[in-house]
Amino acid sequence: MPPKKKAAKKKAGKPGDPEESPLDPAELNKYLELQVQTLQRKLMMKTEDALRARASENELRSRVMELDRDFNEEQQRTFDITSDMTRQYKAMQEELLNRINQLENTVADQKEDLDKAQQSFEELKRTKDEIIAGKDEQILELKRKMEEMSKEFANMLKETLEKMTERIELTNNQWENEEDSPMMRRLEEFSLTGNGVAASS
């Protein structure tokens, strides 16, 4: 027997398909209402997505503006701090330079005073040495003169005693036998004492 042919099944077409049989107005209206509702839901979802995106964008924009404002404030604060530190540094540098100059001037003045004091000391020392040397020379000269005067005085005394002795001897010729007279003993003692003084000088 030859195989039986299967009957072709018809597929249910979509509404509005020209190859299918047309729908009645009630079904078409229902179908269109479903389409409208689907499109409205999609529109609502898209609108919500757009609103969320706009809110996120606004929030992000606000955050960016806040960060930009904070950055500008921080930059200004940093600039102010840097300017103040620079000003303080320059002021300290100028003060230190002035202090260094003052100290250098003070050291120079003190060095000059020290040099003057050293020169004065050397001059005073030289003057003192000259005075001492002069005094020593004067002392030596006085000693020499005193020795000369002492010698001259001893010689004069010796000569005087000799002359007095001669005169006494001439005067006392009459006393030749009186060798032990007190006058002669005193003259002899005085003559010996005079010779002793001259010898010691």
Side-chain angles (χ1 to χ4, degrees), residues 15-70:
D17 191 350
E19 296 181 355
E20 298 295 331
S21 59
L23 297 175
D24 56 11
E27 292 179 351
L28 182 60
N29 189 24
K30 186 178 181 180
Y31 174 75
L32 292 176
E33 286 180 357
L34 292 174
Q35 291 292 329
V36 170
Q37 291 177 1
T38 301
L39 292 174
Q40 286 179 346
R41 283 196 298 269
K42 289 181 178 181
L43 180 60
M44 289 177 62
M45 292 174 63
K46 293 291 183 182
T47 302
E48 291 176 357
D49 292 339
L51 292 175
R52 282 195 297 269
R54 179 63 61 84
S56 298
E57 181 183 358
N58 292 334
E59 184 180 359
L60 182 60
R61 191 186 301 275
S62 176
R63 181 59 177 165
V64 169
M65 291 177 62
E66 183 180 357
L67 291 175
D68 186 64
R69 183 173 60 254
D70 293 341

Side-chain angles (χ1 to χ4, degrees), residues 157-186:
L157 183 60
K158 182 178 180 182
E159 291 177 357
T160 302
L161 289 174
E162 288 177 354
K163 289 179 180 181
M164 289 178 65
T165 302
E166 290 177 357
R167 289 180 181 179
I168 291 171
E169 287 178 354
L170 292 174
T171 304
N172 293 326
N173 283 332
Q174 58 183 354
W175 297 336
E176 293 178 355
N177 295 326
E178 297 178 4
E179 296 179 355
D180 295 332
S181 64
M183 179 68 70
M184 293 299 295
R185 285 198 302 273
R186 289 180 63 184

Side-chain angles (χ1 to χ4, degrees), residues 7-186:
K9 294 183 179 179
K10 293 183 180 180
K11 294 182 179 180
K14 293 181 180 179
D17 191 350
E19 296 181 355
E20 298 295 331
S21 59
L23 297 175
D24 56 11
E27 292 179 351
L28 182 60
N29 189 24
K30 186 178 181 180
Y31 174 75
L32 292 176
E33 286 180 357
L34 292 174
Q35 291 292 329
V36 170
Q37 291 177 1
T38 301
L39 292 174
Q40 286 179 346
R41 283 196 298 269
K42 289 181 178 181
L43 180 60
M44 289 177 62
M45 292 174 63
K46 293 291 183 182
T47 302
E48 291 176 357
D49 292 339
L51 292 175
R52 282 195 297 269
R54 179 63 61 84
S56 298
E57 181 183 358
N58 292 334
E59 184 180 359
L60 182 60
R61 191 186 301 275
S62 176
R63 181 59 177 165
V64 169
M65 291 177 62
E66 183 180 357
L67 291 175
D68 186 64
R69 183 173 60 254
D70 293 341
F71 173 77
N72 291 332
E73 291 177 355
E74 185 66 25
Q75 187 178 23
Q76 183 63 37
R77 184 164 53 251
T78 303
F79 177 77
D80 294 339
I81 293 174
T82 304
S83 299
D84 185 64
M85 291 181 65
T86 302
R87 181 185 57 78
Q88 291 181 6
Y89 171 76
K90 289 183 178 179
M92 290 177 62
Q93 186 180 24
E94 185 176 0
E95 183 179 359
L96 288 175
L97 289 175
N98 292 333
R99 183 60 177 166
I100 290 172
N101 291 331
Q102 291 178 358
L103 291 176
E104 288 179 350
N105 293 332
T106 302
V107 171
D109 293 340
Q110 290 180 352
K111 186 176 183 300
E112 185 177 357
D113 294 340
L114 181 62
D115 292 339
K116 290 181 180 179
Q118 186 69 26
Q119 292 177 359
S120 299
F121 173 75
E122 294 294 335
E123 185 176 357
L124 182 63
K125 183 180 178 182
R126 184 168 56 253
T127 304
K128 181 202 70 173
D129 294 339
E130 292 176 355
I131 293 173
I132 291 175
K135 294 296 182 182
D136 291 339
E137 187 176 353
Q138 291 179 3
I139 291 171
L140 291 175
E141 183 67 18
L142 288 174
K143 285 183 178 180
R144 185 180 63 78
K145 288 183 178 180
M146 288 176 65
E147 289 177 356
E148 291 179 355
M149 291 175 65
S150 177
K151 290 179 180 179
E152 290 178 357
F153 179 75
N155 292 330
M156 289 174 61
L157 183 60
K158 182 178 180 182
E159 291 177 357
T160 302
L161 289 174
E162 288 177 354
K163 289 179 180 181
M164 289 178 65
T165 302
E166 290 177 357
R167 289 180 181 179
I168 291 171
E169 287 178 354
L170 292 174
T171 304
N172 293 326
N173 283 332
Q174 58 183 354
W175 297 336
E176 293 178 355
N177 295 326
E178 297 178 4
E179 296 179 355
D180 295 332
S181 64
M183 179 68 70
M184 293 299 295
R185 285 198 302 273
R186 289 180 63 184

